[in-house]
Amino acid sequence: MSTHLSRPSYAAVLRVPYARRAFTAALAARLSYGTVAPALLLSVSRATGSWPVSGAVLSLFGATTVFLMPLRASLIDGHGPRRALPPMAALYGALLSVLAALTWRPGAPAALVAVSAALAGACAPPLGPAMRALWSELVADPGLLQRAYSLDGVAEELLYVSGPALVGVLAGVAPPAAGILLSAVLNVAGTWAFVATSPAVPGPRPVSPGRRRPAGLRGLPAPVAVAAAVALGVGLSLSCAELLVMAFATERSHDPALVPWVLGALSAGSALGGLANGAVRWRTAARVRLCRFAAALGAVLALAGLAPDVWTLTAVMALAGAFIAPALTTAYLLADETAAPGSRARAGAWVNTGVNAGGSAGSLAAGLLIGRFPLSLCFTLAGAAALVTAAAGVMRPRAAGGLPRSSPRPGETVGEPPAP
């Protein structure tokens, strides 16, 4: 891959007018998604006395959050974030508060908890896609936009690492349901700050009478489907790998306390890979880069099962992680640069849905594979998911990856490649 270093720094991203204020507010709201899952798991299990019920409630919450995200993102594209996000955040915060009240003490009715969780997930504001769409509005230079997306991706990963730690600290001084309340406050306050205090966030958009925006992939260019499909393969491979690491430690009689360190190496590799990816201005088209990153991830994971011990596995996982953030960042960039300006949030939401849907399917698949096949074969099959979707993306018609952005950025011409 031909590359050259880009002069703009990550600090330059935050010096873009209004970017720091909007990004900080969005991160505060998105921290809610790092705290809500462990808080739900702990509080529902305590209130119902059942881990299976807790898992089912968390699955319902995750399903409505993920699979209805494109629909919610289409509302942002159609009406603008200032009009669409506050009602979502208000409903989401209110339903989380209901969940906290229901699970504050033992004896909560499981059916009512499940319905409340499903409704809360259906209202969760898609702040990640909204922020990425805003980056696209704020940053005109393609190289700087790539850095912005890389910074956003690394920051989001750190939120999902710090969120459970924050819930753990809070659980030491308050009931677990306090973590659900904290998630509600973070989301509502962060969303309000994002839409109300940042001049960069677009105002309400007029809606043409009788015109209905599709919430699915209809109306989006083919590269968005490629990005979502490859992201699904990446998510599937990663969630399989996480369970396989635990099985590897058990099979080799290693201390289970080592497992978080192995998974931590995966996250650390992803963060470093994301920062390195953002520091390079790539000449290769985004679709090609995406498929290469996903294929590299799949190949490394396929070889991980051959590791002789947990220390080698840790090193291999760190190497695999180096391709995670670059793959996902490039998927979001591909969706952004090919979608029309009025569909960018929905395009990014489909990539997000792909990752999370793959994660859910991967956990199920790994559970079915472990114990039935040798671990080395399980790792190979886990890596194959990313390899297959990467190969499918490469085999798409060449025109799919080379479509110009529907509306050029200032200073660009239609058909201009992503980087000089």
Side-chain angles (χ1 to χ4, degrees):
M1 285 183 249
S2 178
T3 64
H4 71 279
L5 292 181
S6 172
R7 288 189 178 275
S9 64
Y10 283 105
V13 173
L14 297 177
R15 285 198 296 268
V16 171
Y18 310 123
R20 188 180 306 173
R21 185 187 304 179
F23 187 43
T24 302
L27 286 181
R30 290 156 76 181
L31 178 57
S32 164
Y33 301 130
T35 59
V36 70
L40 265 178
L41 195 64
L42 292 173
S43 59
V44 175
S45 64
R46 178 176 180 265
T48 62
S50 170
W51 283 106
V53 169
S54 183
V57 168
L58 190 59
S59 296
L60 278 172
F61 174 81
T64 55
T65 299
V66 171
F67 293 109
L68 294 179
M69 184 180 289
L71 174 61
R72 299 191 300 272
S74 70
L75 294 175
I76 295 174
D77 283 330
H79 300 279
R82 286 188 189 274
R83 179 177 288 170
L85 282 174
M88 291 184 205
L91 283 171
Y92 180 67
L95 287 163
L96 285 186
S97 299
V98 169
L99 266 173
L102 286 171
T103 59
W104 199 267
R105 292 183 177 85
L112 189 55
V113 169
V115 169
S116 300
L119 290 175
C123 300
L127 289 153
M131 185 64 224
R132 281 183 284 268
L134 183 59
W135 279 126
S136 189
E137 298 290 334
L138 290 173
V139 180
D141 176 71
L144 192 59
L145 179 62
Q146 181 177 299
R147 283 196 178 236
Y149 269 48
S150 295
L151 179 64
D152 189 282
V154 171
E156 186 170 62
E157 184 151 348
L158 292 176
L159 293 181
Y160 281 95
V161 172
S162 59
L166 185 57
V167 170
V169 171
L170 185 61
V173 297
I180 301 179
L181 272 183
L182 173 66
S183 302
V185 171
L186 284 170
N187 197 277
V188 173
T191 302
W192 177 84
F194 179 66
V195 300
T197 68
S198 176
V201 177
R205 295 169 187 161
V207 180
S208 303
R211 185 178 176 185
R212 186 170 165 270
R213 283 182 182 269
L217 281 164
R218 284 184 304 141
L220 292 175
V224 177
V226 172
V230 176
L232 184 144
V234 169
L236 200 156
S237 290
L238 288 176
S239 60
C240 279
E242 289 174 358
L243 287 179
L244 289 172
V245 166
M246 290 187 272
F248 183 97
T250 301
E251 184 181 87
R252 306 296 174 91
S253 300
H254 290 294
D255 185 348
L258 292 174
V259 171
W261 291 97
V262 181
L263 298 179
L266 186 73
S267 296
S270 178
L272 292 174
L275 292 173
N277 175 65
V280 174
R281 184 173 292 201
W282 301 91
R283 292 185 184 276
T284 316
R287 179 180 63 86
V288 175
R289 295 201 315 274
L290 169 62
C291 294
R292 290 179 181 177
F293 286 139
L297 169 65
V300 175
L301 287 178
L303 295 172
L306 301 177
D309 53 56
V310 74
W311 308 112
T312 307
L313 181 65
T314 302
V316 174
M317 283 303 189
L319 177 60
F323 299 105
I324 298 172
L328 296 181
T329 296
T330 307
Y332 286 120
L333 278 170
L334 177 59
D336 171 80
E337 71 181 26
T338 55
S343 300
R344 283 176 182 152
R346 182 163 58 103
W350 271 108
V351 176
N352 203 317
T353 296
V355 177
N356 288 289
S360 299
S363 298
L364 177 62
L368 295 174
L369 291 172
I370 294 171
R372 290 180 171 84
F373 300 97
L375 271 184
S376 57
L377 177 59
C378 292
F379 272 103
T380 300
L381 293 174
L387 283 166
V388 167
T389 53
V394 168
M395 289 188 292
R396 295 284 301 182
R398 188 169 182 82
L403 291 173
R405 187 182 291 110
S406 301
S407 178
R409 301 187 193 283
E412 290 184 322
T413 57
V414 174
E416 184 180 3

